[in-house]
Amino acid sequence: MTDAPPTGAAAGPAAAPGNPAPVRVAILADTHGWVDPRVLAVVADCDLAVHGGDIGNAAVMACLQPRHGPVWAARGNNDRPADWPSADRATLDRLPGWVEVSLPGGTLVVIHGHQTPARGRHERLRRRFPHARALVYGHSHRLLLDQEALPWVLNPGAAGRTRTHGGPSCLVLTADADCWTIRTFRFAPTSQASQKG
C-alpha cells in the first residue's frame, strides 16, 4: 500500500491493450482517526481508494485495503502534527495538499477543500483543476454530488463517526474509458457504545 504519492496511474485488473478494464475507486474522507467497518467493506470491494483528508492517524491508512491498487490521500486541515500520534509522523509528512490520479477516461483530483471558502467552492475548484474529469473534496462532512458541469465535484461525506450528518458514507466511482458512474453508500448512524474500541 502506498500512503500518499503525489500523482500516479491507477493499477487495475488486466485488460486488452487499448481497452482498459473499468476501475472501481472507493472515495472517502473525514475519518478523523476511525473508519466505519461498513465503509471498510466497500473499500475492500474496490480496485483502489482515495481519501479526501482529515485522516487522523496512520492506522486509518493501514486499514484501507482495496483489491488491486494503492490508497491515495490528501492532507486535511486536521492532519497536523499536534493532532496525529508522534509515531505516525512519517506517514503524515508524506501527505500532499492534493493528489491527481490517472484513471481510464480521465483524471481524478483529490483535495480536502479547506483551501477554498465554502461560498463558491465548486466554481473555484473547477477553475483550479479544469483538466480533471472529477474533483473530490471533504472538509464539510456533507455527502454531495455536483454533476451539473465538468469536472464533477464530489464530496463523500464523513466515513468515520464525527459529524456524519445522517450516518457514515462513501462513494464508489466506476471509471472506464467511455463512461464514469458514481454510486453512493450511506449507512445508519452507529450508537456511541458501538463506536468505542
Side-chain angles (χ1 to χ4, degrees), residues 55-66:
I55 299 158
N57 56 48
V60 166
M61 297 295 295
C63 74
L64 300 176
Q65 297 294 318

Side-chain angles (χ1 to χ4, degrees), residues 159-186:
R161 56 183 157 215
T162 304
R163 295 188 350 258
T164 61
H165 299 287
S169 58
C170 64
L171 304 171
V172 172
L173 165 67
T174 301
D176 68 28
D178 299 319
C179 181
W180 283 22
T181 59
I182 298 287
R183 184 170 175 201
T184 301
F185 291 82
R186 164 82 76 184

Side-chain angles (χ1 to χ4, degrees), residues 11-15 19-25 47 67-68 104 173-177 179:
N19 187 21
V23 174
R24 286 173 45 88
V25 183
D47 299 309
R67 293 184 301 207
H68 301 294
L173 165 67
T174 301
D176 68 28
C179 181

Side-chain angles (χ1 to χ4, degrees), residues 99-151:
V99 181
E100 297 189 14
V101 183
S102 297
L103 297 171
T107 299
L108 179 69
V109 171
V110 184
I111 190 167
H112 187 57
H114 67 287
Q115 301 92 333
T116 57
R119 183 175 177 149
R121 178 175 287 143
H122 294 193
E123 293 74 20
R124 287 184 175 91
L125 289 172
R126 285 180 168 123
R127 284 195 304 270
R128 183 173 177 184
F129 301 104
H131 62 284
R133 183 155 180 179
L135 305 161
V136 170
Y137 76 97
H139 193 52
S140 72
H141 292 228
R142 293 190 180 276
L143 179 64
L144 182 142
L145 305 178
D146 177 354
Q147 297 171 282
E148 298 300 314
L150 289 175

